[in-house]
Amino acid sequence: MITKMGFGDLIYFPIGSIPRKLEFFVVNSLETDTMTLNLPNGKIPILPETVKEIFGIPMGETMLERQRGERSEEDYDDEDDIQNFEAGESSHQQQKEDEDDNAELELKVTKICEQEQTAEDKDAGNENEGGNKSENKDDDEAKGTKEVTNQKNETGESSQQHLKDDEDEQDKSEKNKDAGNDNEDGNKSENKDANEGKETKEVINQKSETGESSHQHLKYDEDEQDKSEKNKDAGNDNEDGNKSENKDANEGKETKEVTNQKSETVMTDEDLEDSISKSKKQDEKEESDSLRLKEIKESDKKNQEEAENITDSKSPEKQPKTFKRQHSDDEETPKKDEDKKMKKRKINNLQSPYVKTRVNVENQLTEDEKLLGRSIFSMKEDEAETVFSDEDGNMMMRMSIQSLAPSLEVETPVIDVFASILNNEERFSNRTFKRHYFHTGMMMPGVIEIKNAKPKDKEKVISKQYDVFQEVLGIQMKQDLQQMQMEDVDLVFFPIISSEHYYLIVLNIQKGNAVIIDNSESDATYDGKYKDNYDLVKGVFLSHLKTYENSKEEMLSEKLNKFKPKLLKMNWRTREERIDCGVYMMAHMELYEGETVAAKWKTGLLEEKDKGHREQIDNLRSKYAAKIILHQENEDEIKKKMTEYAYEFAAEYTDEETMEKDVNEAINKKKAELKKAGTSGS
């Protein structure tokens, strides 16, 4: 139904959820008058054509029906939609007819089963009545019956031996048949003279033997049941023995009950034939019913498959890009042998040595970090695929983690996810001070607006941004008043992105000071580069502490308003490189512990002129990528999937040199695409 209305592509849209911070950012950046998103890198117009291209939904007015049948072919825009409409109507009508036929057939089958069950219950009642009559035989026969009872042990042993030897059993059955034929008159008369009484005893003995044999046969498999059929033929003329012999496997329980009775039910030849006929007819009906029920199920399954085919009837060209890729993967079943072997063997997840500890900037890459980094930076797989998702709703797509590749500018989702990971690690830290990291969006769009605001309007920008800050922070901290009061926090980190450049503003709540940490060594002044953004952060955060009555708010407010923040001048600051500011900021976030003198802050980061500087920064990119993807906060299924991707990627190459070459080519291609799109370095 959704597909036929033109909204089928929404079903396969690859993004299942949107972070709250992104929602606020989009809302605050949207100009409803012009339908334009104002972003740091430029403006994005939102047009009907854009919505159709991304979501695959139709443009213009479309009549929506409340019920099937209220929409005609004229309401559909193109030939494909008309075909889908006609196919859907035809399938619906056929499915309705099949459902009616199936319901009628099932009702008939149910009635047949009920009638057969009633017939079986009636037959069982007749047999029980016959058994009761046999117990009321006259006194003349009682004496003979007693003698037969005394001989049961002997006949029972004979019957057991008879079951072990198939040939002997057949011979005995033939003899029993002859004996029964010779003494037919003795079986029909109950008051024969003394000479005929002896023959009557022999016939009853044969009857007992046959009855015991039937009881034993019920415990064996189908081969033993064939033997039982032979015994039935042998006892056709023995009226009492035939009672238990002619019950099939479905009447086994009733046969066992009749055999165990003290006296057997007498059955005529005509009754025997009727019983066999009924049994055969019942078997035929049950088989027929079973076949029809099977046809019903197959018909239902076929109808369901047809309905699914109609839903998927849109051509691959009109489906979202990610959905087309999934179809392509399904069709490319003959993959390489390495891929098949990879799926069969058990793969251990890749590991990062920095899942619970800070990254050591001086160490070389581990094999797992190297393997994962190359598979990510090869720019393969779907860019919209989710590669990070935690319980707090933070998520990141593959296109963002790919921005950690060497010579590319790090995207803000990487910074925000990294901040969430560091906050998680702070909860388990045994250090005497506590740090808290805010997301880049906490000061957006205020950072953009305050640069162009007049001095008299800057307070309005700060007040407006405070409202955004409060709402987003409340969501992140789940309205926990104790967390939002921040009495136990020492340092708060605000990552700033301004003029396509990253740097940090850090406030020390307990000591009442602030520092700015920027890897870029420039000739810009404090007032020209940092003042507006610092005033925005200071104004918003002091308002927050005052609202939640933090005990240090007055002291911090007094000192921050009296003194300028200190700009740390580290010896690893760079002049030439403009693209690695995001990587440096991630290192500063993780390594800074409140130092106010740059010379006392030991990080292990090399100076720009050091020959190992370039390799160190590129290695940091892979280390941070591995820490984020393989962190305990990320979903296990995602970590497993990313591990499989890495091994499959490695299996495509026989030597490391070729792999490295292909990765570098993929990065350069991505860099060219970004440059063409207008994205510049930091």
Side-chain angles (χ1 to χ4, degrees):
M1 177 64 74
I2 295 176
T3 301
K4 286 181 285 184
M5 289 166 59
F7 296 89
D9 287 346
L10 292 177
I11 300 175
Y12 311 110
F13 197 67
I15 301 177
S17 61
I18 300 177
R20 286 295 183 91
K21 59 181 180 294
L22 179 58
E23 295 175 5
F24 288 119
F25 175 73
V26 171
V27 171
N28 285 294
S29 303
L30 178 64
E31 288 187 5
T32 56
D33 296 336
T34 60
M35 288 306 294
T36 303
L37 282 175
N38 292 328
L39 304 178
N41 299 332
K43 295 184 178 181
I44 299 178
I46 301 176
L47 304 174
E49 293 79 8
T50 308
V51 176
K52 180 180 180 181
E53 181 179 356
I54 294 176
F55 293 101
I57 60 179
M59 289 193 303
E61 298 180 355
T62 302
M63 184 184 300
L64 303 180
E65 69 275 17
R66 290 189 301 272
Q67 299 176 353
R68 182 182 293 275
E70 293 185 11
R71 193 176 179 190
S72 64
E73 293 184 18
E74 298 177 355
D75 297 323
Y76 292 89
D77 297 331
D78 52 37
E79 187 175 343
D80 290 339
D81 288 340
I82 293 175
Q83 292 177 356
N84 289 339
F85 169 79
E86 294 174 348
E89 290 297 320
S90 176
S91 174
H92 176 72
Q93 182 65 25
Q94 182 63 38
Q95 183 176 359
K96 185 176 180 181
E97 293 175 358
D98 291 342
E99 289 176 355
D100 295 340
D101 293 342
N102 293 340
E104 183 178 356
L105 181 58
E106 288 179 0
L107 182 60
K108 291 181 179 180
V109 171
T110 302
K111 290 182 177 180
I112 291 172
C113 294
E114 290 176 352
Q115 291 173 359
E116 291 301 321
Q117 184 64 38
T118 303
E120 291 177 5
D121 295 341
K122 185 176 181 180
D123 292 341
N126 292 335
E127 290 165 2
N128 291 333
E129 183 178 356
N132 294 331
K133 288 181 179 180
S134 65
E135 293 180 358
N136 297 321
K137 288 185 177 181
D138 54 29
D139 295 337
D140 294 337
E141 193 180 17
K143 184 176 180 180
T145 304
K146 183 175 181 181
E147 293 177 359
V148 172
T149 304
N150 293 333
Q151 296 176 5
K152 279 186 177 179
N153 293 334
E154 297 177 0
T155 57
E157 293 176 358
S158 174
S159 178
Q160 292 178 0
Q161 183 65 30
H162 165 76
L163 291 171
K164 296 179 181 179
D165 191 339
D166 294 341
E167 295 179 357
D168 292 344
E169 180 183 19
Q170 187 172 0
D171 293 341
K172 288 181 180 181
S173 298
E174 293 297 331
K175 292 179 181 180
N176 292 339
K177 181 176 181 181
D178 296 338
N181 291 333
D182 293 337
N183 295 296
E184 181 177 359
D185 295 334
N187 292 331
K188 293 180 179 179
S189 175
E190 296 181 357
N191 298 313
K192 293 292 183 179
D193 55 22
N195 293 331
E196 292 177 339
K198 183 176 181 180
E199 295 177 359
T200 303
K201 294 179 183 179
E202 293 176 357
V203 173
I204 297 174
N205 287 342
Q206 296 298 329
K207 174 192 67 177
S208 177
E209 178 181 340
T210 307
E212 290 293 324
S213 175
S214 175
H215 177 62
Q216 293 293 330
H217 285 175
L218 294 173
K219 301 179 180 179
Y220 289 85
D221 55 14
E222 294 178 357
D223 294 337
E224 293 300 329
Q225 292 177 11
D226 294 337
K227 298 175 187 177
S228 177
E229 291 298 327
K230 295 179 181 179
N231 291 335
K232 292 177 185 178
D233 297 335
N236 283 337
D237 296 324
N238 296 328
E239 297 171 358
D240 298 313
N242 290 334
K243 176 63 186 81
S244 60
E245 289 287 336
N246 291 300
K247 293 293 182 179
D248 55 24
N250 295 328
E251 296 173 324
K253 185 177 180 180
E254 297 174 3
T255 304
K256 184 175 180 180
E257 293 174 354
V258 174
T259 306
N260 290 333
Q261 292 178 353
K262 293 182 179 179
S263 60
E264 286 72 19
T265 304
V266 179
M267 180 180 289
T268 64
D269 292 341
E270 185 178 350
D271 294 336
L272 179 62
E273 291 176 359
D274 292 340
S275 177
I276 293 174
S277 177
K278 287 182 180 180
S279 178
K280 289 182 178 180
K281 289 181 180 180
Q282 182 178 352
D283 292 341
E284 291 174 357
K285 289 179 181 179
E286 289 179 353
E287 183 177 0
S288 176
D289 295 343
S290 177
L291 291 174
R292 290 298 297 145
L293 288 174
K294 185 177 181 181
E295 290 176 1
I296 293 172
K297 293 180 180 178
E298 291 178 351
S299 177
D300 291 341
K301 184 178 180 181
K302 184 178 179 181
N303 292 336
Q304 183 178 358
E305 290 175 352
E306 290 177 353
E308 292 175 353
N309 290 335
I310 291 173
T311 303
D312 296 335
S313 61
K314 293 190 67 178
S315 61
E317 289 75 16
K318 293 193 175 185
Q319 294 175 354
K321 293 182 179 180
T322 52
F323 191 59
K324 286 197 292 184
R325 192 189 73 81
Q326 292 171 359
H327 276 291
S328 177
D329 287 347
D330 294 339
E331 293 167 1
E332 295 175 2
T333 50
K335 289 188 176 181
K336 293 184 178 181
D337 294 338
E338 292 85 349
D339 295 341
K340 294 180 181 179
K341 293 178 181 178
M342 192 66 60
K343 293 180 180 179
K344 291 181 180 180
R345 71 175 181 173
K346 183 178 180 180
I347 299 177
N348 293 325
N349 281 352
L350 298 175
Q351 299 292 330
S352 167
Y354 310 114
V355 168
K356 296 182 180 180
T357 61
R358 65 178 60 184
V359 171
N360 190 319
V361 302
E362 298 175 293
N363 288 351
Q364 292 296 316
L365 290 176
T366 66
E367 289 301 318
D368 284 2
E369 289 173 327
K370 194 181 298 183
L371 178 59
L372 181 63
R374 287 172 175 171
S375 68
I376 293 173
F377 304 153
S378 66
M379 307 302 167
K380 296 185 177 182
E381 306 300 335
D382 182 14
E383 289 186 342
E385 179 183 15
T386 300
V387 297
F388 183 92
S389 179
D390 63 15
E391 294 180 353
D392 295 327
N394 299 294
M395 60 85 66
M396 180 172 59
M397 293 186 289
R398 181 179 287 274
M399 67 176 70
S400 296
I401 200 68
Q402 287 175 344
S403 70
L404 275 171
S407 75
L408 298 184
E409 181 180 356
V410 179
E411 295 184 359
T412 54
V414 177
I415 306 298
D416 292 342
V417 168
F418 190 65
S420 297
I421 288 176
L422 294 180
N423 283 332
N424 174 266
E425 292 181 352
E426 282 296 312
R427 294 202 293 265
F428 305 99
S429 173
N430 56 7
R431 287 186 287 269
T432 56
F433 61 91
K434 183 177 179 180
R435 300 174 293 185
H436 184 82
Y437 303 86
F438 294 107
H439 291 183
T440 56
M442 302 295 280
M443 290 297 142
M444 297 292 288
V447 170
I448 300 174
E449 295 178 356
I450 201 167
K451 290 176 64 176
N452 302 320
K454 297 178 180 179
K456 63 178 182 178
D457 295 330
K458 289 187 177 182
E459 286 298 324
K460 294 181 181 179
V461 174
I462 294 173
S463 177
K464 181 180 177 181
Q465 188 61 42
Y466 168 72
D467 294 336
V468 175
F469 178 86
Q470 280 294 105
E471 188 168 359
V472 176
L473 187 63
I475 294 172
Q476 290 180 347
M477 293 187 171
K478 301 176 182 179
Q479 301 296 339
D480 188 321
L481 296 180
Q482 185 174 357
Q483 287 189 55
M484 298 183 73
Q485 192 176 24
M486 296 188 176
E487 283 288 354
D488 59 339
V489 177
D490 293 82
L491 304 174
V492 288
F493 292 71
F494 289 89
I496 304 297
I497 178 171
S498 179
S499 301
E500 300 181 357
H501 177 69
Y502 288 112
Y503 63 88
L504 273 178
I505 295 177
V506 184
L507 305 181
N508 192 324
I509 301 177
Q510 305 302 324
K511 294 183 178 180
N513 59 46
V515 297
I516 296 175
I517 307 175
D518 188 355
N519 74 288
S520 176
E521 183 180 0
S522 66
D523 297 327
T525 62
Y526 165 77
D527 289 344
K529 187 175 183 179
Y530 304 111
K531 186 178 186 303
D532 285 340
N533 291 335
Y534 174 74
D535 288 343
L536 175 69
V537 169
K538 179 183 67 174
V540 169
F541 190 66
L542 288 177
S543 296
H544 170 77
L545 294 183
K546 185 175 182 179
T547 299
Y548 287 89
E549 299 180 352
N550 184 285
S551 60
K552 302 290 183 179
E553 183 270 326
E554 291 185 4
M555 178 273 294
L556 182 63
S557 177
E558 181 182 354
K559 289 188 176 183
L560 294 183
N561 289 324
K562 184 177 181 180
F563 302 103
K564 290 182 179 181
K566 187 166 187 177
L567 179 61
L568 294 182
K569 298 180 179 181
M570 303 84 63
N571 61 358
W572 58 83
R573 288 189 299 166
T574 61
R575 271 193 171 273
E576 301 297 330
E577 295 181 357
R578 302 292 182 183
I579 204 73
D580 297 314
C581 58
V583 181
Y584 274 107
M585 187 173 72
M586 293 172 73
H588 296 159
M589 290 168 65
E590 190 172 29
L591 300 175
Y592 183 70
E593 296 182 348
E595 294 85 354
T596 55
V597 179
K600 294 182 179 181
W601 185 18
K602 306 298 180 181
T603 62
L605 292 169
L606 299 177
E607 296 182 24
E608 186 179 22
K609 61 183 179 181
D610 193 292
K611 61 180 182 180
H613 160 74
R614 183 71 264 157
E615 180 183 4
Q616 184 184 62
I617 296 301
D618 288 348
N619 285 349
L620 268 179
R621 288 173 173 268
S622 293
K623 289 178 181 180
Y624 287 136
K627 176 165 184 168
I628 291 173
I629 297 298
L630 304 176
H631 200 271
Q632 59 189 5
E633 287 295 290
N634 197 9
E635 291 182 1
D636 291 338
E637 193 62 32
I638 294 178
K639 290 185 285 189
K640 179 181 178 182
K641 181 171 59 178
M642 295 299 288
T643 295
E644 291 175 353
Y645 283 150
Y647 280 119
E648 290 172 2
F649 171 75
E652 297 177 5
Y653 296 91
T654 57
D655 64 283
E656 190 169 327
E657 184 178 350
T658 304
M659 184 193 300
E660 191 73 26
K661 180 182 177 182
D662 287 355
V663 171
N664 289 333
E665 289 179 355
I667 294 173
N668 290 332
K669 182 180 178 181
K670 186 71 172 180
K671 185 177 179 180
E673 292 175 355
L674 294 174
K675 185 177 181 180
K676 185 178 180 180
T679 303
S680 60
S682 58

